Amino acid sequence: MISRLDRPEAELKYRSLIKGALYDQPELYQWWIKQVPTPAAYRKLSKKKKNDLASHDLEHLSPMLSAIEAGQLIIKSPREYWGQAYSSQIIGPDLIDHFAGCEQEQVALICTDVHNEIIHFQILFAGGTSECALYPDQILRIGIQNCASGMILAHNHPTGVPKPSEADKRFCQRIEAAGRLVGIPLLDFIIVGNTDYFSWRENELFLNVPNND
Protein backbone atom coordinates (compact mmCIF):
# COMPACT_ATOMS: atom_id res chain seq x y z
CA MET A 1 0.00 0.00 0.00
CA ILE A 2 1.01 3.59 -0.63
CA SER A 3 -0.09 6.08 1.98
CA ARG A 4 -0.83 9.77 1.67
CA LEU A 5 -1.41 12.01 4.68
CA ASP A 6 -2.79 10.12 7.66
CA ARG A 7 -5.34 11.82 9.92
CA PRO A 8 -2.90 13.52 12.35
CA GLU A 9 -0.77 14.79 9.46
CA ALA A 10 -3.84 16.04 7.58
CA GLU A 11 -5.13 17.88 10.65
CA LEU A 12 -1.73 19.46 11.26
CA LYS A 13 -1.54 20.55 7.61
CA TYR A 14 -5.08 21.90 7.80
CA ARG A 15 -4.29 24.04 10.83
CA SER A 16 -1.12 25.31 9.16
CA LEU A 17 -3.03 26.33 6.03
CA ILE A 18 -5.80 28.09 7.98
CA LYS A 19 -3.20 29.89 10.09
CA GLY A 20 -1.47 31.01 6.90
CA ALA A 21 -4.74 32.28 5.43
CA LEU A 22 -5.44 34.24 8.62
CA TYR A 23 -1.81 35.12 9.38
CA ASP A 24 -2.68 38.68 10.48
CA GLN A 25 -5.80 37.63 12.41
CA PRO A 26 -4.64 35.33 15.24
CA GLU A 27 -7.85 35.77 17.25
CA LEU A 28 -9.95 34.95 14.20
CA TYR A 29 -7.77 31.90 13.58
CA GLN A 30 -8.40 30.66 17.13
CA TRP A 31 -12.13 31.28 16.71
CA TRP A 32 -12.20 29.32 13.43
CA ILE A 33 -10.33 26.36 14.90
CA LYS A 34 -12.87 26.16 17.73
CA GLN A 35 -15.70 26.14 15.21
CA VAL A 36 -14.08 23.85 12.63
CA PRO A 37 -11.18 21.98 14.27
CA THR A 38 -10.47 19.40 11.53
CA PRO A 39 -10.93 18.81 7.79
CA ALA A 40 -13.54 16.17 8.64
CA ALA A 41 -15.47 18.74 10.65
CA TYR A 42 -15.54 21.04 7.63
CA ARG A 43 -16.88 18.30 5.38
CA LYS A 44 -19.83 17.85 7.76
CA LEU A 45 -20.84 21.50 7.66
CA SER A 46 -24.21 22.34 6.17
CA LYS A 47 -24.53 25.12 3.62
CA LYS A 48 -26.27 27.28 6.24
CA LYS A 49 -23.45 26.73 8.73
CA LYS A 50 -20.88 27.73 6.11
CA ASN A 51 -22.84 30.91 5.42
CA ASP A 52 -22.97 31.61 9.15
CA LEU A 53 -19.21 31.19 9.41
CA ALA A 54 -18.62 33.55 6.50
CA SER A 55 -20.93 36.18 7.97
CA HIS A 56 -18.87 36.22 11.18
CA ASP A 57 -16.18 38.12 9.29
CA LEU A 58 -17.04 38.80 5.65
CA GLU A 59 -13.72 40.48 4.92
CA HIS A 60 -11.52 37.55 5.92
CA LEU A 61 -13.64 34.41 6.17
CA SER A 62 -15.79 34.78 3.07
CA PRO A 63 -12.79 34.71 0.66
CA MET A 64 -11.24 31.83 2.60
CA LEU A 65 -14.43 29.78 2.41
CA SER A 66 -14.66 30.46 -1.32
CA ALA A 67 -11.08 29.22 -1.73
CA ILE A 68 -11.85 26.04 0.24
CA GLU A 69 -14.96 25.37 -1.87
CA ALA A 70 -12.94 25.94 -5.05
CA GLY A 71 -10.36 23.42 -3.82
CA GLN A 72 -13.06 20.84 -3.15
CA LEU A 73 -14.52 21.41 -6.61
CA ILE A 74 -11.11 20.86 -8.20
CA ILE A 75 -10.67 17.59 -6.30
CA LYS A 76 -14.13 16.28 -7.22
CA SER A 77 -14.11 17.43 -10.85
CA PRO A 78 -13.65 14.77 -13.55
CA ARG A 79 -10.12 14.28 -14.73
CA GLU A 80 -8.65 12.77 -17.86
CA TYR A 81 -6.69 9.58 -17.41
CA TRP A 82 -4.30 9.62 -20.31
CA GLY A 83 -0.75 8.39 -20.07
CA GLN A 84 0.95 5.20 -19.07
CA ALA A 85 -0.29 2.57 -16.64
CA TYR A 86 2.81 0.52 -15.99
CA SER A 87 2.08 -0.19 -12.33
CA SER A 88 -0.29 0.40 -9.46
CA GLN A 89 2.26 2.81 -7.99
CA ILE A 90 1.43 5.11 -10.90
CA ILE A 91 -2.35 4.60 -10.99
CA GLY A 92 -3.09 4.16 -7.26
CA PRO A 93 -2.28 7.68 -6.02
CA ASP A 94 -4.24 9.25 -8.90
CA LEU A 95 -7.24 7.10 -8.02
CA ILE A 96 -7.06 8.24 -4.40
CA ASP A 97 -7.38 11.81 -5.66
CA HIS A 98 -10.16 10.86 -8.07
CA PHE A 99 -12.36 9.24 -5.43
CA ALA A 100 -11.63 11.83 -2.70
CA GLY A 101 -14.85 12.93 -1.01
CA CYS A 102 -16.98 10.31 -2.80
CA GLU A 103 -19.61 8.95 -0.41
CA GLN A 104 -20.94 6.27 -2.78
CA GLU A 105 -19.16 3.13 -3.84
CA GLN A 106 -18.19 3.39 -7.50
CA VAL A 107 -16.44 1.15 -9.99
CA ALA A 108 -14.09 2.53 -12.64
CA LEU A 109 -12.72 0.77 -15.70
CA ILE A 110 -9.36 1.78 -17.19
CA CYS A 111 -8.59 0.34 -20.62
CA THR A 112 -5.04 0.17 -22.01
CA ASP A 113 -3.48 -0.57 -25.38
CA VAL A 114 -0.61 -2.95 -26.16
CA HIS A 115 1.89 -0.36 -24.86
CA ASN A 116 0.04 0.05 -21.55
CA GLU A 117 -1.12 3.50 -22.62
CA ILE A 118 -4.48 4.45 -21.12
CA ILE A 119 -7.01 4.77 -23.93
CA HIS A 120 -10.27 4.89 -21.97
CA PHE A 121 -11.46 5.71 -18.45
CA GLN A 122 -15.08 5.31 -17.38
CA ILE A 123 -17.11 5.16 -14.19
CA LEU A 124 -19.27 2.10 -14.72
CA PHE A 125 -21.38 1.81 -11.61
CA ALA A 126 -22.39 3.91 -8.63
CA GLY A 127 -24.06 2.34 -5.62
CA GLY A 128 -24.90 3.16 -2.05
CA THR A 129 -22.54 3.53 0.86
CA SER A 130 -21.69 -0.16 1.16
CA GLU A 131 -22.08 -1.92 -2.18
CA CYS A 132 -22.81 -1.48 -5.87
CA ALA A 133 -24.02 -3.80 -8.61
CA LEU A 134 -21.32 -5.30 -10.81
CA TYR A 135 -21.95 -6.87 -14.21
CA PRO A 136 -18.94 -8.61 -15.81
CA ASP A 137 -20.53 -8.71 -19.27
CA GLN A 138 -20.88 -4.92 -19.35
CA ILE A 139 -17.26 -4.47 -18.29
CA LEU A 140 -15.97 -6.77 -21.03
CA ARG A 141 -18.26 -5.17 -23.63
CA ILE A 142 -16.73 -1.77 -22.96
CA GLY A 143 -13.25 -3.24 -23.16
CA ILE A 144 -14.04 -4.80 -26.55
CA GLN A 145 -15.68 -1.62 -27.86
CA ASN A 146 -12.51 0.33 -27.02
CA CYS A 147 -10.18 -2.28 -28.54
CA ALA A 148 -8.49 -2.71 -25.17
CA SER A 149 -5.47 -4.95 -24.81
CA GLY A 150 -5.74 -4.85 -21.02
CA MET A 151 -7.98 -3.48 -18.31
CA ILE A 152 -7.70 -2.24 -14.77
CA LEU A 153 -10.69 -2.23 -12.45
CA ALA A 154 -10.83 0.13 -9.51
CA HIS A 155 -13.44 0.88 -6.90
CA ASN A 156 -13.55 2.90 -3.73
CA HIS A 157 -14.60 1.89 -0.24
CA PRO A 158 -16.59 4.79 1.29
CA THR A 159 -15.53 3.55 4.72
CA GLY A 160 -12.04 4.75 3.81
CA VAL A 161 -10.47 1.34 4.46
CA PRO A 162 -9.26 -0.41 1.27
CA LYS A 163 -9.45 -3.93 2.65
CA PRO A 164 -10.78 -6.44 0.06
CA SER A 165 -13.96 -8.27 1.00
CA GLU A 166 -14.72 -11.86 0.04
CA ALA A 167 -17.12 -10.48 -2.60
CA ASP A 168 -14.26 -8.36 -4.00
CA LYS A 169 -12.06 -11.44 -4.27
CA ARG A 170 -14.70 -13.57 -5.99
CA PHE A 171 -15.58 -10.82 -8.44
CA CYS A 172 -11.93 -10.26 -9.28
CA GLN A 173 -11.56 -13.97 -10.03
CA ARG A 174 -14.58 -13.92 -12.35
CA ILE A 175 -13.34 -10.89 -14.27
CA GLU A 176 -9.86 -12.35 -14.59
CA ALA A 177 -11.24 -15.62 -15.98
CA ALA A 178 -13.65 -13.85 -18.34
CA GLY A 179 -10.89 -11.52 -19.54
CA ARG A 180 -8.69 -14.48 -20.45
CA LEU A 181 -11.52 -15.96 -22.54
CA VAL A 182 -11.93 -12.81 -24.65
CA GLY A 183 -8.24 -11.94 -24.77
CA ILE A 184 -8.34 -8.85 -22.54
CA PRO A 185 -6.31 -9.64 -19.41
CA LEU A 186 -7.12 -8.03 -16.09
CA LEU A 187 -3.94 -6.09 -15.32
CA ASP A 188 -4.93 -5.06 -11.81
CA PHE A 189 -7.84 -4.76 -9.41
CA ILE A 190 -7.44 -1.73 -7.16
CA ILE A 191 -9.46 -0.83 -4.07
CA VAL A 192 -9.21 2.80 -3.01
CA GLY A 193 -9.49 4.19 0.51
CA ASN A 194 -9.13 7.66 1.94
CA THR A 195 -5.33 7.74 2.07
CA ASP A 196 -4.12 4.47 0.56
CA TYR A 197 -5.11 1.67 -1.79
CA PHE A 198 -5.00 -2.10 -2.17
CA SER A 199 -3.58 -3.58 -5.37
CA TRP A 200 -4.19 -7.19 -6.35
CA ARG A 201 -0.91 -7.21 -8.32
CA GLU A 202 0.99 -6.03 -5.27
CA ASN A 203 -0.73 -8.67 -3.14
CA GLU A 204 -0.93 -11.82 -5.28
CA LEU A 205 -2.36 -13.89 -2.41
CA PHE A 206 -5.46 -11.72 -2.71
CA LEU A 207 -6.89 -14.21 -5.25
CA ASN A 208 -6.05 -17.35 -3.31
CA VAL A 209 -9.58 -17.95 -2.01
CA PRO A 210 -12.03 -20.67 -3.03
CA ASN A 211 -14.32 -19.67 -5.89
CA ASN A 212 -17.73 -21.15 -5.19
CA ASP A 213 -19.48 -19.56 -8.19
Side-chain angles (χ1 to χ4, degrees):
M1 291 185 179
I2 289 179
S3 179
R4 292 270 174 115
L5 292 178
D6 60 23
R7 181 172 295 176
E9 290 174 323
E11 292 179 1
L12 185 62
K13 183 68 173 178
Y14 166 78
R15 287 172 176 258
S16 176
L17 290 171
I18 298 300
K19 191 172 185 178
L22 301 173
Y23 69 95
D24 59 345
Q25 300 290 324
E27 292 184 1
L28 187 58
Y29 163 74
Q30 293 296 337
W31 178 87
W32 174 274
I33 292 300
K34 287 182 180 179
Q35 305 299 316
V36 194
T38 66
Y42 184 87
R43 287 178 58 182
K44 295 178 181 178
L45 294 177
S46 65
K47 185 175 181 179
K48 180 181 182 303
K49 181 61 176 177
K50 291 176 184 177
N51 290 335
D52 290 342
L53 290 171
S55 64
H56 180 79
D57 188 322
L58 291 175
E59 180 182 358
H60 298 95
L61 294 185
S62 184
M64 189 177 76
L65 279 161
S66 295
I68 294 173
E69 293 297 307
Q72 289 189 321
L73 180 61
I74 291 170
I75 290 174
K76 293 180 181 180
S77 63
R79 61 177 298 167
E80 292 185 351
Y81 277 81
W82 302 104
Q84 296 172 330
Y86 291 131
S87 70
S88 58
Q89 284 88 354
I90 295 174
I91 296 294
D94 281 344
L95 289 169
I96 292 173
D97 290 341
H98 177 84
F99 287 113
C102 183
E103 297 180 354
Q104 286 187 321
E105 185 169 7
Q106 297 183 354
V107 177
L109 174 64
I110 300 171
C111 296
T112 64
D113 64 13
V114 292
H115 304 294
N116 280 341
E117 295 283 341
I118 295 173
I119 57 175
H120 185 71
F121 176 90
Q122 183 175 341
I123 296 293
L124 300 180
F125 312 106
T129 58
S130 60
E131 62 179 12
C132 59
L134 302 172
Y135 302 99
D137 60 325
Q138 294 184 19
I139 293 172
L140 295 173
R141 188 180 302 120
I142 293 172
I144 293 170
Q145 289 172 348
N146 286 278
C147 301
S149 294
M151 56 186 175
I152 299 169
L153 276 176
H155 79 280
N156 65 314
H157 279 184
T159 61
V161 181
K163 180 180 180 180
S165 66
E166 293 303 309
D168 289 331
K169 297 175 185 179
R170 290 193 296 270
F171 180 72
C172 184
Q173 289 178 317
R174 292 200 300 271
I175 292 296
E176 187 196 27
R180 283 199 300 266
L181 289 175
V182 300
I184 307 178
L186 180 63
L187 303 178
D188 208 343
F189 185 88
I190 298 175
I191 302 172
V192 181
N194 286 342
T195 62
D196 52 14
Y197 68 86
F198 179 95
S199 162
W200 156 45
R201 287 303 183 191
E202 292 178 22
N203 300 268
E204 291 291 347
L205 292 179
F206 168 56
L207 284 183
N208 292 341
V209 295
N211 191 338
N212 298 320
D213 295 342

